[in-house]
Amino acid sequence: MINYLELAQQILNAVGGTENIISMAHCATRLRLIIKDREKIEDDNVEAIEGVKGVFFTAGQYQIILGTGVVNKVYEEAAKLGVSTSNKTEQTQVAQKNTNKVQQFIRTLADVFVPIIPAIVATGLFLGLKGAILNPSVLAIFGFTPDSIPTYITTFIAILTETAFAFLPALVCWSSFRVFGGTPVLGILLGLMLVSNALPNAYAIADPNSGVSPIMVFGFIPMVGYQGSIIPALVSGYIGSKIEKYLRKKVPNSLDLVFTPFLTLLFSALLALFAIGPIFHYVENLLLMVGTYVMDLPYGIGGFIIGFSWMFIVVTGVHHVFNVLELSLLAATGLNPFNAIISMATVAQGAACLAVARKAKKKSVKEIGPSATVSAWLGITEPAIFGVNMRYSLKPMLVASFISGIAGLICMIVNLAGTANGVTGIAGTLLYVYDVKQLLLYLGISIATAVATYFLTLLFGVPDEVMEEK
Protein backbone atom coordinates (compact mmCIF):
# COMPACT_ATOMS: atom_id res chain seq x y z
CA MET A 1 0.00 0.00 0.00
CA ILE A 2 1.48 3.34 -1.03
CA ASN A 3 1.90 5.97 1.68
CA TYR A 4 1.26 9.07 -0.44
CA LEU A 5 2.27 11.51 2.30
CA GLU A 6 5.61 9.75 2.74
CA LEU A 7 6.14 9.60 -1.02
CA ALA A 8 5.41 13.33 -1.34
CA GLN A 9 7.82 14.14 1.48
CA GLN A 10 10.60 12.04 -0.09
CA ILE A 11 10.13 13.81 -3.42
CA LEU A 12 10.20 17.25 -1.82
CA ASN A 13 13.40 16.41 0.06
CA ALA A 14 15.03 15.10 -3.12
CA VAL A 15 14.26 18.25 -5.14
CA GLY A 16 15.68 20.63 -2.55
CA GLY A 17 12.67 21.16 -0.31
CA THR A 18 9.63 23.40 -0.62
CA GLU A 19 11.88 26.46 -0.75
CA ASN A 20 13.27 25.27 -4.10
CA ILE A 21 9.81 24.98 -5.68
CA ILE A 22 8.15 28.02 -7.24
CA SER A 23 4.92 26.22 -8.11
CA MET A 24 3.49 22.76 -8.63
CA ALA A 25 0.87 21.30 -10.99
CA HIS A 26 0.14 17.88 -12.44
CA CYS A 27 -1.19 16.20 -15.57
CA ALA A 28 -2.46 12.63 -16.05
CA THR A 29 0.84 10.96 -15.12
CA ARG A 30 3.40 13.61 -14.12
CA LEU A 31 4.05 15.95 -11.23
CA ARG A 32 5.20 19.22 -12.83
CA LEU A 33 7.47 21.49 -10.79
CA ILE A 34 8.75 24.97 -11.55
CA ILE A 35 11.97 25.10 -9.56
CA LYS A 36 14.35 27.87 -8.52
CA ASP A 37 17.68 26.05 -8.80
CA ARG A 38 17.98 23.06 -11.14
CA GLU A 39 21.50 22.35 -9.86
CA LYS A 40 20.19 21.41 -6.42
CA ILE A 41 18.46 18.31 -7.80
CA GLU A 42 20.23 15.00 -8.39
CA ASP A 43 18.06 13.05 -10.79
CA ASP A 44 19.38 9.71 -9.52
CA ASN A 45 18.19 10.51 -6.02
CA VAL A 46 14.70 11.32 -7.25
CA GLU A 47 14.54 8.22 -9.47
CA ALA A 48 15.67 6.04 -6.56
CA ILE A 49 12.46 6.85 -4.65
CA GLU A 50 10.09 3.90 -4.74
CA GLY A 51 7.07 4.87 -6.81
CA VAL A 52 8.92 7.29 -9.09
CA LYS A 53 8.96 5.96 -12.66
CA GLY A 54 11.30 8.51 -14.18
CA VAL A 55 12.18 12.20 -14.35
CA PHE A 56 13.00 14.70 -17.04
CA PHE A 57 13.39 18.44 -17.44
CA THR A 58 11.68 20.11 -20.38
CA ALA A 59 9.93 23.36 -21.27
CA GLY A 60 11.12 24.92 -18.02
CA GLN A 61 9.50 22.23 -15.89
CA TYR A 62 10.99 19.46 -13.76
CA GLN A 63 8.59 16.58 -14.39
CA ILE A 64 8.38 13.50 -12.17
CA ILE A 65 6.52 10.51 -13.63
CA LEU A 66 4.30 8.82 -11.05
CA GLY A 67 1.54 7.30 -13.16
CA THR A 68 -2.22 7.65 -13.34
CA GLY A 69 -4.08 7.49 -10.03
CA VAL A 70 -0.89 8.19 -8.06
CA VAL A 71 0.14 11.63 -9.25
CA ASN A 72 -3.04 13.39 -8.11
CA LYS A 73 -2.79 11.89 -4.60
CA VAL A 74 0.90 12.84 -4.26
CA TYR A 75 0.01 16.33 -5.52
CA GLU A 76 -2.65 16.70 -2.80
CA GLU A 77 -0.24 15.60 -0.06
CA ALA A 78 2.53 17.88 -1.35
CA ALA A 79 0.10 20.80 -1.34
CA LYS A 80 -0.66 20.07 2.33
CA LEU A 81 3.06 20.26 3.03
CA GLY A 82 3.15 23.86 1.87
CA VAL A 83 4.06 23.67 -1.82
CA SER A 84 2.59 26.50 -3.89
CA THR A 85 0.11 25.16 -6.43
CA SER A 86 -1.08 26.50 -9.79
CA ASN A 87 -3.14 25.29 -12.71
CA LYS A 88 -1.44 24.09 -15.89
CA THR A 89 -2.09 27.34 -17.78
CA GLU A 90 -0.56 29.50 -15.04
CA GLN A 91 2.40 27.19 -14.69
CA THR A 92 2.97 27.10 -18.44
CA GLN A 93 3.19 30.89 -18.48
CA VAL A 94 5.89 30.78 -15.80
CA ALA A 95 7.73 27.91 -17.48
CA GLN A 96 7.80 29.66 -20.84
CA LYS A 97 10.07 32.35 -19.43
CA ASN A 98 12.82 29.70 -19.42
CA THR A 99 12.09 28.21 -22.84
CA ASN A 100 12.97 29.17 -26.38
CA LYS A 101 10.50 30.42 -28.99
CA VAL A 102 10.06 27.00 -30.62
CA GLN A 103 9.23 25.35 -27.30
CA GLN A 104 6.80 28.14 -26.47
CA PHE A 105 5.08 27.73 -29.84
CA ILE A 106 4.68 23.97 -29.41
CA ARG A 107 3.39 24.37 -25.88
CA THR A 108 0.87 26.97 -27.02
CA LEU A 109 -0.41 24.68 -29.77
CA ALA A 110 -0.86 21.94 -27.20
CA ASP A 111 -2.81 24.29 -24.93
CA VAL A 112 -5.13 25.17 -27.83
CA PHE A 113 -5.77 21.70 -29.23
CA VAL A 114 -5.68 19.37 -26.20
CA PRO A 115 -9.03 20.65 -24.80
CA ILE A 116 -10.64 19.95 -28.19
CA ILE A 117 -9.51 16.33 -28.38
CA PRO A 118 -12.32 14.87 -26.18
CA ALA A 119 -14.92 16.22 -28.63
CA ILE A 120 -13.06 14.71 -31.60
CA VAL A 121 -12.59 11.40 -29.78
CA ALA A 122 -16.29 11.20 -28.92
CA THR A 123 -17.19 11.96 -32.53
CA GLY A 124 -14.72 9.34 -33.73
CA LEU A 125 -16.30 6.72 -31.50
CA PHE A 126 -19.75 7.69 -32.77
CA LEU A 127 -18.46 7.31 -36.34
CA GLY A 128 -17.02 3.91 -35.52
CA LEU A 129 -20.28 2.72 -33.99
CA LYS A 130 -22.21 4.17 -36.93
CA GLY A 131 -20.11 2.15 -39.35
CA ALA A 132 -20.64 -0.99 -37.33
CA ILE A 133 -24.37 -0.57 -36.68
CA LEU A 134 -25.32 0.52 -40.20
CA ASN A 135 -23.12 -2.02 -41.92
CA PRO A 136 -25.37 -3.97 -44.34
CA SER A 137 -23.90 -7.29 -43.18
CA VAL A 138 -24.64 -6.49 -39.54
CA LEU A 139 -28.16 -5.29 -40.35
CA ALA A 140 -28.80 -8.44 -42.38
CA ILE A 141 -28.22 -10.57 -39.27
CA PHE A 142 -31.30 -8.92 -37.73
CA GLY A 143 -33.28 -8.95 -40.96
CA PHE A 144 -32.85 -5.25 -41.78
CA THR A 145 -31.41 -3.22 -44.64
CA PRO A 146 -30.05 0.36 -44.58
CA ASP A 147 -33.27 1.56 -46.25
CA SER A 148 -35.37 0.11 -43.43
CA ILE A 149 -33.77 2.28 -40.74
CA PRO A 150 -36.25 4.98 -39.61
CA THR A 151 -35.43 8.55 -40.58
CA TYR A 152 -35.36 9.76 -36.97
CA ILE A 153 -32.61 7.25 -36.16
CA THR A 154 -30.44 8.19 -39.15
CA THR A 155 -30.98 11.87 -38.34
CA PHE A 156 -29.95 11.35 -34.72
CA ILE A 157 -26.84 9.46 -35.85
CA ALA A 158 -26.00 12.28 -38.28
CA ILE A 159 -26.23 14.80 -35.43
CA LEU A 160 -23.85 12.73 -33.31
CA THR A 161 -21.31 12.20 -36.08
CA GLU A 162 -21.33 15.45 -38.06
CA THR A 163 -21.67 18.30 -35.56
CA ALA A 164 -18.07 18.45 -34.25
CA PHE A 165 -16.48 18.67 -37.68
CA ALA A 166 -19.13 21.01 -39.07
CA PHE A 167 -18.43 23.48 -36.26
CA LEU A 168 -14.74 22.71 -35.75
CA PRO A 169 -13.69 26.37 -36.36
CA ALA A 170 -15.92 27.41 -33.45
CA LEU A 171 -14.12 24.96 -31.16
CA VAL A 172 -10.71 26.13 -32.34
CA CYS A 173 -11.60 29.84 -32.04
CA TRP A 174 -13.02 29.28 -28.57
CA SER A 175 -9.86 27.56 -27.40
CA SER A 176 -7.62 30.16 -29.07
CA PHE A 177 -9.41 33.04 -27.34
CA ARG A 178 -9.13 31.15 -24.04
CA VAL A 179 -5.38 30.54 -24.40
CA PHE A 180 -4.46 33.98 -25.74
CA GLY A 181 -6.40 35.96 -23.18
CA GLY A 182 -9.63 36.88 -24.96
CA THR A 183 -13.23 36.24 -23.97
CA PRO A 184 -13.99 32.62 -24.97
CA VAL A 185 -17.64 33.29 -25.87
CA LEU A 186 -16.49 35.84 -28.45
CA GLY A 187 -14.22 33.16 -29.86
CA ILE A 188 -17.17 30.79 -30.21
CA LEU A 189 -19.18 33.44 -32.04
CA LEU A 190 -16.29 34.31 -34.38
CA GLY A 191 -15.82 30.62 -35.16
CA LEU A 192 -19.54 30.24 -35.92
CA MET A 193 -19.28 33.18 -38.30
CA LEU A 194 -16.65 31.23 -40.25
CA VAL A 195 -19.20 28.47 -40.90
CA SER A 196 -22.29 30.64 -41.25
CA ASN A 197 -25.08 29.31 -43.46
CA ALA A 198 -24.87 32.61 -45.37
CA LEU A 199 -21.47 31.53 -46.77
CA PRO A 200 -21.01 28.98 -49.55
CA ASN A 201 -20.37 25.65 -47.83
CA ALA A 202 -16.75 24.48 -48.12
CA TYR A 203 -17.76 20.84 -48.61
CA ALA A 204 -20.19 21.80 -51.38
CA ILE A 205 -17.50 23.85 -53.13
CA ALA A 206 -15.16 20.86 -53.01
CA ASP A 207 -17.78 18.76 -54.81
CA PRO A 208 -17.56 19.55 -58.55
CA ASN A 209 -21.12 18.29 -59.05
CA SER A 210 -22.71 20.62 -56.50
CA GLY A 211 -22.70 23.73 -58.67
CA VAL A 212 -21.65 25.82 -55.62
CA SER A 213 -18.81 28.29 -56.07
CA PRO A 214 -17.15 30.94 -53.84
CA ILE A 215 -18.39 34.52 -53.65
CA MET A 216 -15.62 36.64 -55.18
CA VAL A 217 -14.81 39.91 -53.40
CA PHE A 218 -13.24 42.57 -55.66
CA GLY A 219 -12.97 39.84 -58.24
CA PHE A 220 -10.08 37.97 -56.61
CA ILE A 221 -10.78 37.28 -52.89
CA PRO A 222 -12.85 34.10 -52.38
CA MET A 223 -15.47 34.42 -49.65
CA VAL A 224 -16.40 30.93 -48.45
CA GLY A 225 -17.29 28.94 -45.38
CA TYR A 226 -14.48 27.22 -43.49
CA GLN A 227 -16.16 23.99 -42.42
CA GLY A 228 -13.49 21.62 -41.17
CA SER A 229 -10.67 24.19 -41.39
CA ILE A 230 -8.13 24.42 -38.58
CA ILE A 231 -5.42 26.97 -39.30
CA PRO A 232 -7.69 29.85 -40.43
CA ALA A 233 -9.69 29.45 -37.21
CA LEU A 234 -6.51 29.24 -35.10
CA VAL A 235 -5.02 32.42 -36.59
CA SER A 236 -8.37 34.23 -36.48
CA GLY A 237 -8.74 33.32 -32.82
CA TYR A 238 -5.23 34.55 -32.02
CA ILE A 239 -5.66 37.89 -33.81
CA GLY A 240 -9.21 38.33 -32.49
CA SER A 241 -8.04 37.88 -28.89
CA LYS A 242 -5.26 40.44 -29.43
CA ILE A 243 -7.77 42.92 -30.88
CA GLU A 244 -9.99 42.45 -27.83
CA LYS A 245 -7.12 42.92 -25.37
CA TYR A 246 -6.06 46.10 -27.17
CA LEU A 247 -9.59 47.50 -27.10
CA ARG A 248 -9.97 46.69 -23.40
CA LYS A 249 -7.09 49.09 -22.74
CA LYS A 250 -8.38 51.87 -25.01
CA VAL A 251 -12.17 51.87 -24.62
CA PRO A 252 -13.46 53.77 -21.54
CA ASN A 253 -14.86 51.52 -18.82
CA SER A 254 -18.34 53.00 -19.22
CA LEU A 255 -18.43 51.91 -22.88
CA ASP A 256 -16.43 48.70 -22.60
CA LEU A 257 -19.37 46.28 -22.27
CA VAL A 258 -20.98 47.49 -25.50
CA PHE A 259 -18.22 48.63 -27.81
CA THR A 260 -15.39 46.18 -27.08
CA PRO A 261 -17.30 43.03 -28.11
CA PHE A 262 -18.86 44.89 -31.07
CA LEU A 263 -15.56 46.17 -32.44
CA THR A 264 -13.73 42.93 -31.66
CA LEU A 265 -16.14 40.85 -33.71
CA LEU A 266 -16.40 43.44 -36.49
CA PHE A 267 -12.67 43.73 -37.11
CA SER A 268 -12.01 40.02 -36.46
CA ALA A 269 -14.70 38.90 -38.90
CA LEU A 270 -13.46 41.31 -41.59
CA LEU A 271 -9.90 40.01 -41.25
CA ALA A 272 -10.98 36.37 -40.96
CA LEU A 273 -13.18 36.33 -44.06
CA PHE A 274 -11.25 38.66 -46.36
CA ALA A 275 -7.58 38.08 -45.40
CA ILE A 276 -6.78 35.41 -42.83
CA GLY A 277 -9.16 32.79 -44.19
CA PRO A 278 -8.11 32.89 -47.86
CA ILE A 279 -4.37 33.04 -47.04
CA PHE A 280 -4.18 30.44 -44.31
CA HIS A 281 -6.64 28.09 -45.93
CA TYR A 282 -4.07 27.87 -48.71
CA VAL A 283 -1.35 27.22 -46.10
CA GLU A 284 -3.50 24.53 -44.52
CA ASN A 285 -3.98 22.82 -47.87
CA LEU A 286 -0.21 22.85 -48.41
CA LEU A 287 0.34 21.24 -44.99
CA LEU A 288 -2.26 18.61 -45.79
CA MET A 289 -0.63 17.95 -49.15
CA VAL A 290 2.80 17.49 -47.53
CA GLY A 291 1.40 15.19 -44.85
CA THR A 292 -0.50 13.05 -47.30
CA TYR A 293 2.51 13.01 -49.65
CA VAL A 294 4.70 11.51 -46.92
CA MET A 295 2.08 8.94 -45.99
CA ASP A 296 1.49 8.08 -49.65
CA LEU A 297 5.14 7.35 -50.41
CA PRO A 298 5.38 4.04 -52.30
CA TYR A 299 5.64 0.70 -50.52
CA GLY A 300 4.53 2.24 -47.21
CA ILE A 301 7.83 4.13 -46.75
CA GLY A 302 6.00 7.09 -45.21
CA GLY A 303 4.46 4.80 -42.62
CA PHE A 304 7.89 3.46 -41.71
CA ILE A 305 9.34 6.97 -41.34
CA ILE A 306 6.52 8.12 -39.08
CA GLY A 307 6.37 4.88 -37.10
CA PHE A 308 10.11 4.78 -36.47
CA SER A 309 10.47 8.44 -35.52
CA TRP A 310 7.23 8.99 -33.61
CA MET A 311 8.43 8.30 -30.07
CA PHE A 312 11.54 10.41 -30.59
CA ILE A 313 9.18 13.19 -31.69
CA VAL A 314 7.13 12.63 -28.52
CA VAL A 315 10.28 12.94 -26.40
CA THR A 316 11.01 16.37 -27.90
CA GLY A 317 7.45 17.49 -27.17
CA VAL A 318 6.72 18.68 -30.71
CA HIS A 319 4.19 15.91 -31.38
CA HIS A 320 1.34 18.32 -30.60
CA VAL A 321 1.99 20.01 -33.95
CA PHE A 322 0.58 16.92 -35.66
CA ASN A 323 -2.86 17.57 -34.14
CA VAL A 324 -3.32 20.09 -36.95
CA LEU A 325 -2.51 17.46 -39.58
CA GLU A 326 -4.72 14.80 -38.00
CA LEU A 327 -7.69 17.13 -37.64
CA SER A 328 -7.22 18.32 -41.22
CA LEU A 329 -7.20 14.73 -42.47
CA LEU A 330 -10.35 13.94 -40.53
CA ALA A 331 -12.14 17.04 -41.74
CA ALA A 332 -11.16 16.38 -45.36
CA THR A 333 -11.65 12.62 -45.59
CA GLY A 334 -13.38 11.45 -42.41
CA LEU A 335 -10.48 9.05 -41.70
CA ASN A 336 -7.12 9.35 -39.99
CA PRO A 337 -4.38 6.96 -41.18
CA PHE A 338 -1.91 8.75 -38.90
CA ASN A 339 -3.67 7.31 -35.86
CA ALA A 340 -3.00 3.71 -36.90
CA ILE A 341 0.73 4.36 -37.26
CA ILE A 342 1.21 6.08 -33.91
CA SER A 343 -1.00 3.49 -32.20
CA MET A 344 1.50 0.82 -33.20
CA ALA A 345 4.28 2.99 -31.78
CA THR A 346 2.56 3.05 -28.37
CA VAL A 347 1.99 -0.71 -28.50
CA ALA A 348 5.66 -1.31 -29.34
CA GLN A 349 6.94 0.91 -26.53
CA GLY A 350 4.74 -0.92 -24.02
CA ALA A 351 5.94 -4.32 -25.22
CA ALA A 352 9.60 -3.24 -25.04
CA CYS A 353 9.05 -1.96 -21.50
CA LEU A 354 7.45 -5.27 -20.48
CA ALA A 355 10.35 -7.26 -21.95
CA VAL A 356 12.95 -5.22 -20.08
CA ALA A 357 11.01 -5.60 -16.84
CA ARG A 358 10.60 -9.34 -17.42
CA LYS A 359 14.33 -9.92 -17.82
CA ALA A 360 15.70 -7.26 -15.46
CA LYS A 361 17.17 -8.01 -12.09
CA LYS A 362 17.02 -4.43 -10.88
CA LYS A 363 14.09 -4.24 -8.47
CA SER A 364 12.91 -0.75 -9.45
CA VAL A 365 12.62 -1.74 -13.12
CA LYS A 366 10.70 -4.92 -12.32
CA GLU A 367 8.26 -2.87 -10.26
CA ILE A 368 7.81 -0.04 -12.74
CA GLY A 369 7.64 -2.14 -15.93
CA PRO A 370 4.17 -3.78 -15.73
CA SER A 371 2.28 -0.62 -14.77
CA ALA A 372 4.21 1.46 -17.31
CA THR A 373 3.35 -1.14 -19.97
CA VAL A 374 -0.37 -0.93 -19.21
CA SER A 375 -0.15 2.86 -19.32
CA ALA A 376 1.56 2.74 -22.73
CA TRP A 377 -1.01 0.33 -24.13
CA LEU A 378 -3.70 2.75 -23.00
CA GLY A 379 -1.96 5.54 -24.92
CA ILE A 380 0.19 7.24 -22.23
CA THR A 381 3.79 6.32 -23.05
CA GLU A 382 5.82 8.65 -20.78
CA PRO A 383 6.20 6.14 -17.90
CA ALA A 384 7.47 3.48 -20.31
CA ILE A 385 9.76 5.82 -22.24
CA PHE A 386 11.31 7.78 -19.40
CA GLY A 387 10.95 5.18 -16.68
CA VAL A 388 12.40 2.19 -18.57
CA ASN A 389 13.07 2.40 -22.31
CA MET A 390 15.34 5.46 -22.25
CA ARG A 391 16.36 5.45 -18.62
CA TYR A 392 19.48 3.29 -18.92
CA SER A 393 20.08 2.84 -22.64
CA LEU A 394 18.44 3.60 -25.98
CA LYS A 395 18.41 -0.07 -26.97
CA PRO A 396 14.80 -0.83 -25.93
CA MET A 397 13.64 2.41 -27.53
CA LEU A 398 15.41 1.62 -30.81
CA VAL A 399 14.06 -1.93 -31.00
CA ALA A 400 10.51 -0.70 -30.35
CA SER A 401 10.90 2.13 -32.88
CA PHE A 402 12.18 -0.24 -35.57
CA ILE A 403 9.24 -2.61 -35.09
CA SER A 404 6.74 0.26 -34.99
CA GLY A 405 8.29 1.51 -38.22
CA ILE A 406 7.63 -1.88 -39.85
CA ALA A 407 4.11 -1.82 -38.41
CA GLY A 408 3.55 1.68 -39.78
CA LEU A 409 4.69 0.51 -43.21
CA ILE A 410 2.14 -2.32 -43.09
CA CYS A 411 -0.60 0.05 -41.93
CA MET A 412 -0.05 2.22 -44.98
CA ILE A 413 0.03 -0.71 -47.37
CA VAL A 414 -3.31 -2.08 -46.09
CA ASN A 415 -4.87 1.44 -45.79
CA LEU A 416 -5.59 1.19 -42.07
CA ALA A 417 -7.24 4.36 -40.74
CA GLY A 418 -9.18 5.41 -37.65
CA THR A 419 -12.13 7.76 -37.25
CA ALA A 420 -10.60 10.23 -34.75
CA ASN A 421 -7.35 11.31 -33.11
CA GLY A 422 -6.13 11.48 -29.53
CA VAL A 423 -6.84 7.82 -28.67
CA THR A 424 -4.33 5.05 -29.34
CA GLY A 425 -3.46 1.53 -28.24
CA ILE A 426 -6.18 -0.58 -26.64
CA ALA A 427 -8.64 2.32 -26.38
CA GLY A 428 -7.95 3.14 -30.02
CA THR A 429 -9.57 -0.14 -31.05
CA LEU A 430 -12.95 1.61 -30.88
CA LEU A 431 -11.90 3.88 -33.76
CA TYR A 432 -11.83 0.87 -36.12
CA VAL A 433 -15.11 -0.87 -35.36
CA TYR A 434 -16.72 0.93 -38.29
CA ASP A 435 -15.51 -1.83 -40.59
CA VAL A 436 -14.90 -5.49 -39.72
CA LYS A 437 -11.84 -5.70 -41.96
CA GLN A 438 -10.35 -2.55 -40.42
CA LEU A 439 -10.99 -3.87 -36.91
CA LEU A 440 -9.36 -7.22 -37.62
CA LEU A 441 -6.38 -5.55 -39.28
CA TYR A 442 -5.92 -3.21 -36.32
CA LEU A 443 -6.06 -6.05 -33.80
CA GLY A 444 -3.83 -8.31 -35.89
CA ILE A 445 -1.12 -5.71 -36.51
CA SER A 446 -1.24 -4.58 -32.87
CA ILE A 447 -0.77 -8.12 -31.54
CA ALA A 448 2.00 -8.86 -34.06
CA THR A 449 3.73 -5.60 -33.13
CA ALA A 450 3.57 -6.38 -29.42
CA VAL A 451 4.82 -9.97 -29.81
CA ALA A 452 7.67 -9.08 -32.20
CA THR A 453 8.83 -6.16 -30.05
CA TYR A 454 8.70 -8.21 -26.87
CA PHE A 455 10.87 -11.07 -28.11
CA LEU A 456 13.31 -8.88 -30.06
CA THR A 457 13.78 -6.71 -26.98
CA LEU A 458 14.45 -9.79 -24.87
CA LEU A 459 17.11 -10.86 -27.38
CA PHE A 460 18.74 -7.56 -28.27
CA GLY A 461 17.29 -4.65 -26.32
CA VAL A 462 17.75 -5.25 -22.59
CA PRO A 463 20.34 -2.80 -21.18
CA ASP A 464 23.21 -4.27 -19.17
CA GLU A 465 22.51 -1.82 -16.37
CA VAL A 466 19.16 -3.41 -15.48
CA MET A 467 20.80 -6.80 -15.05
CA GLU A 468 22.52 -5.61 -11.91
CA GLU A 469 20.55 -6.54 -8.80
CA LYS A 470 21.61 -3.50 -6.80
Side-chain angles (χ1 to χ4, degrees), residues 110-395:
D111 291 339
V112 171
F113 285 108
V114 167
I116 297 173
I117 287 178
I120 304 302
V121 169
T123 300
L125 297 182
F126 287 138
L127 283 166
L129 291 172
K130 173 186 176 182
I133 294 171
L134 299 184
N135 186 292
S137 300
V138 175
L139 291 174
I141 297 174
F142 301 97
F144 295 105
T145 66
D147 293 334
S148 63
I149 303 298
T151 302
Y152 65 86
I153 292 180
T154 57
T155 301
F156 179 67
I157 291 174
I159 291 171
L160 291 176
T161 57
E162 297 174 11
T163 302
F165 289 113
F167 297 99
L168 190 56
L171 299 178
V172 174
C173 273
W174 159 77
S175 193
S176 296
F177 264 70
R178 178 187 58 83
V179 169
F180 296 118
T183 303
V185 71
L186 295 182
I188 293 175
L189 186 52
L190 177 60
L192 290 173
M193 289 177 178
L194 293 177
V195 292
S196 169
N197 288 336
L199 296 170
N201 187 284
Y203 296 129
I205 292 173
D207 181 1
N209 299 317
S210 68
V212 178
S213 59
I215 298 171
M216 301 307 295
V217 181
F218 304 124
F220 67 95
I221 300 175
M223 187 177 179
V224 301
Y226 291 93
Q227 287 81 4
S229 286
I230 309 298
I231 297 179
L234 174 65
V235 178
S236 298
Y238 170 77
I239 293 178
S241 66
K242 296 302 179 184
I243 291 173
E244 183 191 354
K245 291 173 70 175
Y246 174 80
L247 291 171
R248 294 286 182 198
K249 296 177 183 178
K250 299 298 181 180
V251 176
N253 291 337
S254 58
L255 302 176
D256 178 72
L257 180 63
V258 175
F259 284 99
T260 297
F262 169 77
L263 294 174
T264 296
L265 290 172
L266 175 61
F267 293 137
S268 298
L270 284 170
L271 288 171
L273 292 174
F274 300 141
I276 297 170
I279 293 172
F280 284 95
H281 185 57
Y282 178 75
V283 173
E284 184 176 58
N285 285 337
L286 283 179
L287 175 65
L288 186 59
M289 287 171 59
V290 171
T292 53
Y293 172 79
V294 172
M295 288 188 290
D296 289 342
L297 288 173
Y299 311 111
I301 293 173
F304 179 84
I305 294 172
I306 297 169
F308 179 84
S309 60
W310 182 249
M311 283 303 157
F312 295 101
I313 294 173
V314 170
V315 169
T316 65
V318 303
H319 57 295
H320 296 293
V321 172
F322 291 90
N323 282 324
V324 178
L325 175 61
E326 290 188 82
L327 288 172
S328 297
L329 287 169
L330 285 165
T333 67
L335 294 174
N336 179 12
F338 207 88
N339 176 267
I341 300 171
I342 64 177
S343 284
M344 300 312 151
T346 63
V347 169
Q349 291 298 325
C353 176
L354 184 63
V356 173
R358 170 69 177 79
K359 196 172 182 179
K361 294 183 179 179
K362 189 182 288 289
K363 182 181 178 182
S364 60
V365 176
K366 296 186 77 68
E367 291 177 346
I368 292 171
S371 61
T373 296
V374 173
S375 176
W377 285 348
L378 291 174
I380 300 174
T381 53
E382 285 90 345
I385 293 174
F386 296 106
V388 176
N389 293 350
M390 287 184 64
R391 186 171 182 177
Y392 304 99
S393 166
L394 277 179
K395 288 195 293 184

Side-chain angles (χ1 to χ4, degrees), residues 412-431:
M412 291 309 303
I413 291 176
V414 300
N415 297 316
L416 189 61
T419 54
N421 72 313
V423 179
T424 56
I426 295 173
T429 304
L430 294 173
L431 305 184

